[in-house]
Structure formats: C-alpha cells, structure tokens
Amino acid sequence: MTPKATTLGALRKDVEAGGLARRSVKAEIRDNLIRKLRDGGTLFPGIIGYDDSVVPQVVNAILSRHNFILLGLRGQAKTRILRALTSLLDEWLPVVPGCEIHDDPLAPLCAACRKLTAADGDGLPIEWLHRDQRYVEKLATPDVTIADMIGDLDPIKAARASLHLSDEMTMHYGLVPRANRGIFAINELPDLAGKIQVGLFNILQEGDVQIKGYPVRLPLDLLMVFSANPEDYTARGKIITPLKDRIGSEIRTHYPATRRHAMEITRQEAWTERAHADLHVPDFVREVVEEVAFQARQDQKIDKRSGVSQRLPISLLENVVSNAERRALATGESIAVPRITDVYAAIPAITGKFELEYEGELKGADNVARELIRGAVSTVFDGHFPGADFRQIIDWFDLGGSLQVDDTLASPELLARTGEVQGLHDTARTIAQKRAADAQLAAAVDFVLEGLYAQRKISRSVEGQFQAAEQVKRAPRTVDQLTERDLPLSGSKKKYYN
Ligand SMILES: [Zn+2]
C-alpha cells in the first residue's frame, strides 16, 4: 500500500491533494460498497442462502446510509453479517495516538486531543487504525448501564491528576464513544433497559452523546447496527417507539430455504477434517443431518419462538463423523464412512439445540430426537429411491428373518451379515459409487435398512435388531360380529332392558 503520513502536517497535505478522503463512516461504507458492487464478486463471503433476500436489503440499507436492525431467530448468521460490515471500511484510518475515541487528527473532539494538536501543530505524530479495530459489539442484557454504554466521570482519574470533577479530562468513556468513527453493534436490543434505549435514541437523533454531568457534547460519527429476535422486537413495550422509529431499515433473516443451502453452510462450518482416517461422508448422511433440522423447525413439540439454529446440523455432523471415526479406530478400518446408525448415536448433539413444548417434555428430548431422525431418514430415503420396489427385502423379514446391525459393526462384518437378504446389497449398490469400498457399501446397506424401518416396512429394536414389521392391528369388529363376551355385564343388561 501507499506510504502513510506519519505527522499531522503530512496528513493535511494528503487530504488537500485529494489522496485521502475525509467522510463520515456511513459515507465511507457506502463508497466502498459501491466500489465492490461495480467490481462484482461476493459481498459477504461465507454468508450462504441470503443472496436473493437478506443481502440486497442490507445493501439498500447501506446505500441509504441507514442504521439498521437484523431480525431473526438464533443461528441465522446475524452476528456474522454485522461483523462482515468491517470489510466495507477503509483499511486504515488516521487517528490521534492514544485517543480512546479514535479522534480525527484534523478535527479532534476530546479535550486532550485538542490540547495536543494545539501544542504540537503539524508536527503531531499520527497513528493508523486497522478496520478490524473499528468494530465494537455489545450483547444487551438488562444490567447494562448508561455508564457502560455512554460513559461516566472517573473520580480516581480526577484525583490522580488533581483535576476538578467537572473537568472534561476526568471523563470515562463508555462503549459507544469508544466506537467513534466505526461500527457499533448491539445484539438482542430489546433486552436493553428503557432508559438506555432513550440514551441510544439521543445518539441516533442528535448524532451526539452527552455524558452525565459534563457540559460537553461529543458529535460522534458511527454506523449503529442491531440484532433482535423478531418477537421480542415487535412486542409492545420491549423497544421504545422513538428508537424503533430512528432505525432506518428492519431486515428479516431466515433459516436456509433449501436443503442444498443448508448443506453448504454445514459443510463450511462443521469440523470434519480428521487426520488419521480417510473420511467419506455419503450425501444421504449429509442430507439426513440437514433434514433433522428442517423437521425440528416444523415440529409441534418444539418451541418455535426459540427456533432451531443451524448449529444443530453443524454439531450433529461433527458428532456423526466422530462416531464413524470411533468405529474405524475400534475395527482398524483405514476408511471411515458415517452411516445412518451414526446419526442415532449422535443424539447428544441434537437434544440441547431446541426447547421443548409441553407435549415434547412429556415425550422426553431423546424420544423427540429419535422421531426427528426417523422422519428425516424417511424423507431422504424417498428422494434416493423414488418408486423403488422393496418387496423382496421386506419378504425376507416377513418370512421370519432377523438381523442384528449396530453402529459398532465393522464394514466387512456388516456386509457378511446382511448378504443373505435377497435384493438388499443390489439395492444398496444403486446408490453407492462404482468401486465403492466395503465401508461405503456398508453405509448404503445400513441406509436401506434404516429407510425401510423409518417407513415402517420393517421394524427395529433400539439395540439394532431388524425384523418384520409388527402386524397391523385387526380392524374393530362390526356389531353383527359381536359375541357373548362383548355384551355388557348382566347387571347393566338388566337395567337396560327393564
Ligand atoms: Zn481524543
């Protein structure tokens, strides 16, 4: 990059020569965004599935120079988007060295910097702040105070420097002034106490802060961005109306709309690079992992308001891979291929990721998770075997066959045990790769068995014993089939006929 000015005088020359733009943070972000839009390419790397929804709205908010809020449930990449905004700042910003509020050397706000520039003039050394240091983030909680956010006087500072308490030099700056000339993000905005919201409103309204007891006003330069859960945000009384009114754009985030987007996010976020085993995750396992989250988001037994984060499939895939890794270690196989059975073994990565409704509480989190997996397997299975005929396989079980298959079984062993089921291996081969290794074929066989179980065409015990589906209960008999013992007891009969 071009050499940067080291003194106030040199900086002034650069600005006068047009080599360095002086503009507000919002104008700076807008300029850099416009350049990126012209150049094409990805605006927010790593943000997947928002290209046609959230991203255009964020772009519009920035072009409008709005402070904005992202409304969405947990795990919808809200914080990630806010943090990515720093990529739209200039890489370096000139500041007065040591200033807590990153004063502009050409127009300092604080008393200390004004004194410095007056004393040193053009010889004042300047410092350059990297854009990553121009982002301040705060999680709102009810106990956040005005002093935390805006600032307070600091009696100790005053005593040490033997200054009068009303002297500006005794101010202790809160988070908002410290974010001056940068981006200030507040997560879960509705959790902020009412009077703090009033304080924020003043900043958005007047563009400046007034620290308690001081006659000075600081005209801060900030982009303010927020995140919140939509239900908290729209609930009456949680956000003061004038503050809401001053937030330029409200942008709704969402969970991935398609399984493909969801798989892409999980592939990016989940840690699956395990050094000592050659790992192959079959697509149907990735799909089932994702489908578990999709089904959980629609399940009546799960609390909609708290949502089901994308962190569920991410943790789940990591745990599924670990179970396959553990099996490979135990059996000495050099290749680890996760199976559907491993998804059931990874229930601990599911149960903590949602809040249950009353009906779910009655069932228990483990059972709810097991049902979700079963539903997910059934859906994914349909996608891989549309209209397939499994009669031959089902017949084998209906004729009394049974199989013990669990997640600890080595691949050759699983293939040997299941080989006698006519049609099973042939069906599995239709979805395995050509020249599939034993471990891959074993995973495909396991998928067929689990798919048939999920669709109730065969049954399976918790221990992994597959057998014929339970007989459908006989239809209730009609009245003319009633026998003596179905009739009411004699006592009531008498009463009835009397
Ligand atoms: Zn300063």
Side-chain angles (χ1 to χ4, degrees), residues 479-490:
V479 177
D480 55 13
Q481 291 174 307
L482 290 178
T483 60
E484 183 69 38
R485 78 190 151 85
D486 293 315
L487 292 170
L489 294 173
S490 53

Side-chain angles (χ1 to χ4, degrees), residues 26-40:
K26 283 177 184 162
E28 171 188 343
I29 291 180
R30 187 187 131 86
D31 283 356
N32 291 327
L33 174 67
I34 288 171
R35 188 170 316 121
K36 282 200 172 190
L37 289 172
R38 280 209 188 108
D39 295 350

Side-chain angles (χ1 to χ4, degrees), residues 99 101 103 110 113:
C99 175
I101 61 169
D103 257 326
C110 82
C113 290

Side-chain angles (χ1 to χ4, degrees), residues 101 109-114 152 157 163-173 211 214-218:
I101 61 169
L109 298 177
C110 82
C113 290
R114 276 186 275 119
D152 210 347
K157 212 171 173 181
L163 293 166
H164 191 266
L165 276 182
S166 68
D167 193 304
E168 209 190 312
M169 305 286 273
T170 65
M171 278 196 301
H172 169 78
Y173 295 112
I211 293 173
Y214 292 95
V216 288
R217 311 188 82 141
L218 296 171

Side-chain angles (χ1 to χ4, degrees), residues 259 263 280-292 313 316-317 320-321 324 327 337-343 376-377 380 384 431 443-444 446-447:
R259 205 194 281 159
M263 283 166 73
H280 295 268
V281 187
D283 280 349
F284 56 80
V285 169
R286 289 187 190 276
E287 288 169 45
V288 165
V289 161
E290 231 46 71
E291 188 60 28
V292 168
L316 179 55
L317 183 64
V320 165
V321 165
R327 174 174 54 246
V337 180
R339 304 173 189 164
I340 299 301
T341 323
D342 299 325
V343 183
V377 172
V380 173
H384 281 268
I431 56 156
D446 173 82
F447 180 40

Side-chain angles (χ1 to χ4, degrees), residues 243-440:
L243 176 62
K244 212 186 243 180
D245 207 36
R246 292 296 305 185
I247 297 175
S249 295
E250 258 178 46
I251 299 163
R252 299 250 170 182
T253 57
H254 53 82
Y255 287 124
T258 66
R259 205 194 281 159
R260 191 176 59 79
H261 280 152
M263 283 166 73
E264 224 178 302
I265 296 171
T266 301
R267 194 184 283 270
Q268 171 182 288
E269 303 294 324
W271 178 63
T272 55
E273 302 298 319
R274 311 295 165 93
H276 52 79
D278 191 6
L279 178 79
H280 295 268
V281 187
D283 280 349
F284 56 80
V285 169
R286 289 187 190 276
E287 288 169 45
V288 165
V289 161
E290 231 46 71
E291 188 60 28
V292 168
F294 277 85
Q295 303 228 348
R297 285 171 195 143
Q298 290 165 2
D299 197 303
Q300 295 302 321
K301 295 183 285 303
I302 291 169
D303 178 21
K304 295 267 176 305
R305 207 180 144 275
S306 60
V308 176
S309 161
Q310 192 60 25
R311 283 184 280 271
L312 186 151
I314 293 167
S315 306
L316 179 55
L317 183 64
E318 288 172 343
N319 228 355
V320 165
V321 165
S322 295
N323 204 56
E325 186 181 24
R326 191 169 62 89
R327 174 174 54 246
L329 289 169
T331 59
E333 288 184 72
S334 59
I335 147 169
V337 180
R339 304 173 189 164
I340 299 301
T341 323
D342 299 325
V343 183
Y344 284 97
I347 284 179
I350 301 178
T351 48
K353 303 292 188 303
F354 46 68
E355 303 292 334
L356 291 170
E357 296 284 8
Y358 180 67
E359 195 199 337
E361 296 281 6
L362 290 182
K363 284 209 148 185
D366 273 31
N367 290 325
V368 171
R370 221 167 267 126
E371 279 178 16
L372 289 172
I373 298 170
R374 186 173 181 165
V377 172
S378 174
T379 305
V380 173
F381 189 65
D382 271 341
H384 281 268
F385 297 99
D389 179 13
F390 303 106
R391 199 61 251 167
Q392 211 180 9
I393 304 170
I394 297 164
D395 280 349
W396 187 86
F397 289 99
D398 283 351
L399 290 170
S402 85
L403 279 178
Q404 174 69 33
V405 176
D406 60 49
D407 64 312
T408 60
L409 217 52
S411 307
E413 175 70 22
L414 186 147
L415 293 176
R417 272 193 209 180
T418 54
E420 62 175 299
V421 185
Q422 282 191 352
L424 178 55
H425 283 200
D426 293 338
T427 306
R429 273 196 198 92
T430 62
I431 56 156
Q433 293 160 334
K434 281 180 197 156
R435 302 170 178 276
D438 275 2
Q440 287 164 312

